[in-house]
Amino acid sequence: MIWFFRGTFILAWRDLKSYLHGAGFYVIAAFFSAIIGWAYISRLFDFIRMSGQMAQMGRSDNMNLHSTVMMSLMAQVHLILFFAIPFITMWLLAEEKRTRSFDLLMTSPLSSTQIVIAKIMAGFGAALVLVLISLVYPFFTSLISDVQWAPLFTSYLGLLLLMATYVAIGVFSSSLTQSSILACFMAFVLSLSLWFVAWAGNVVEGMTAQNIVHHISVANHFSQFSKGVVETKGIVFHLSLIFLFGFLTQRVIEVARWR
Amino acid sequence: MVDSSLRRSSQETSSPYMIEIKNLTKWYGAIHAVKDINFHVHRGEVVGFLGPNGAGKSTTMKIITGYMAPSEGEVRVAGYDVFENPLEVKRHIGYLPETPPLYADMYVRDYLSFAAKLKGVVGSSVCSKVDLALEKAGLEDVQKRLIQNLSKGYKQRVGLAQALVSEPELLILDEPTVGLDPKQVAEIRHLIQRLKGHHTIVLSTHILPEVQATCERIVIINKGQIVAEDSLEKLQERVHGARHFLLRVRRPSEGFVSQLNSVAGVERVESLGSSYELVTDGSGECPSLVAQVAIASGGGLLELRAMDLDLEQIFLKLTSQGGER
């Protein structure tokens, strides 16, 4: 049992360090910071100007920093990570298979479950670094204004669950091929298909169908989290997706033994 | 913890063999890569796995390491079934695949310490074991370099150090010298020589002198089957049947060949210019009788020696005979 956690951690730590030693991750992080920084500042200045105008008209109580600025920040962070995570996760298994370093993992006393968990942890760790960067903006805003930390916290919780889901999808895609680019593309298509389901909610007819789509829609769960509502079904939904893709990856690795 | 180590030691002592393979068969789809192989490797033995490319060497080795599952049959390493207890088996094995499993973006030292930890080495012994592996593989000078900047020979040595670092009982080396220049080949061979006695070693190759230089026992495999399995001397004897001798004289006299043919025990004489190849029935008297005849003929005896077939000839003979054992 101790070995299960230690072995997993050793592998995850190596992969995470490999991200932090490579130039690719810093390129992604730099793009991420630049876009988020620009978007946040322009949104914040818009808000300040508008609330000034509103105050002159005597209606300042309608303005809400969280729903205007923070939720927009969330949407930006999410959008960029949606594109960035496939680039982060594409290496995790595809590159190992291409360079044959995967042989080392397969002949070490690690189970395929440990390998999958480690890979998801490493990808999530790298995405977490980016998410932490985005926390800089609310932090500095809190120095000049009142930030509502509670809904911000639940928004981040929702965001992290969504990130972990994308990472699990990315690791699964990476397990299917030796080509990182193909893995990236597949991860992107699979993540996008989650949102197609969400958009289908507007098209389907009938109460039951709409209910089903509503439950499996990432958009719906994410909007609940960003409103400050933590629903068990939202958490369970994301955890089951992560489990599903983790399980599929584990199967893919196991199957390689039998071919 | 104590319980499991006790159980391990009792299981280990129960089996005299490091590797036991029974009726091992592997299919890749419709291709029959390994056909019903049986063999044992004793503890501390150095066994050479020899065969042409595509004979099933790598497949068999991958199955022993638990990397791949067999289609049929049973493989036990240190008393553990590879299929039922793969993690325990992997703790006993250091494996160098055909392509060394390296991370190009790591430093040599970091990579080895990662490999050691992955094999379950803990705490302060990681550092000392990494030092030992660096020393054994002659990598002290490059330990702070990135693996991607190393030459092929050094990469191979890093791969070998990776297999050694956890000090496993069993080393499995798949073509450890392939693609290296002659000096590097000699170095790797020398290293394997030094590892003898510390580990049970199974190494595969299609380069014959390598086995000749390092192995105590040779398993020749062709088209997924074991064609021969013995020590080098016994293999030579078996392929020869009768003993061969080479005779060289200064001035062969007229009728020398018929004189030789009349010696008791000589079955056949082939003339190779000033030297002769004699096929005898292997009796002990024969060489001295031949020497007497050569001296008596006045031709001037220069050389009389037993001709050993080298491994290459044995190999060709056995692999062209097909599945005969």
Side-chain angles (χ1 to χ4, degrees), chain A residues 32-43:
Chain A
F32 177 84
S33 314
I35 296 172
I36 297 292
W38 174 77
Y40 183 81
I41 295 297
S42 61
R43 195 75 192 166

Side-chain angles (χ1 to χ4, degrees), chain B residues 243-274:
Chain B
R243 300 287 291 174
H244 288 219
F245 288 91
L246 185 88
L247 172 71
R248 212 147 65 83
V249 290
R250 198 185 304 254
R251 296 176 305 274
S253 56
E254 291 277 324
F256 186 51
V257 174
S258 55
Q259 278 181 335
L260 286 175
N261 262 322
S262 62
V263 175
V266 173
E267 288 171 352
R268 193 156 51 83
V269 180
E270 273 176 49
S271 172
L272 314 161
S274 64

Side-chain angles (χ1 to χ4, degrees), chain B residues 116 201 224 231:
Chain B
I201 303 176
S231 66

Side-chain angles (χ1 to χ4, degrees), chain B residues 88-161:
Chain B
E88 202 54 58
V89 166
K90 286 171 187 178
R91 286 203 178 93
H92 286 82
I93 292 182
Y95 174 50
L96 173 65
E98 270 176 282
T99 318
L102 307 175
Y103 290 98
D105 61 343
M106 288 180 96
Y107 295 99
V108 172
R109 195 185 175 86
D110 292 349
Y111 169 73
L112 290 178
S113 106
F114 167 68
K117 286 177 193 161
L118 214 51
K119 288 277 180 183
V121 179
V122 279
S124 56
S125 58
V126 172
C127 204
S128 60
K129 287 199 176 177
V130 168
D131 281 331
L132 201 63
L134 285 168
E135 191 255 303
K136 277 186 191 166
L139 289 167
E140 290 114 320
D141 297 339
V142 297
Q143 56 173 307
K144 288 187 180 130
R145 284 179 61 183
L146 276 178
I147 290 174
Q148 61 192 5
N149 298 335
L150 295 179
S151 70
K152 197 168 165 127
Y154 269 112
K155 279 184 184 160
Q156 192 74 21
R157 283 203 242 169
V158 175
L160 199 53

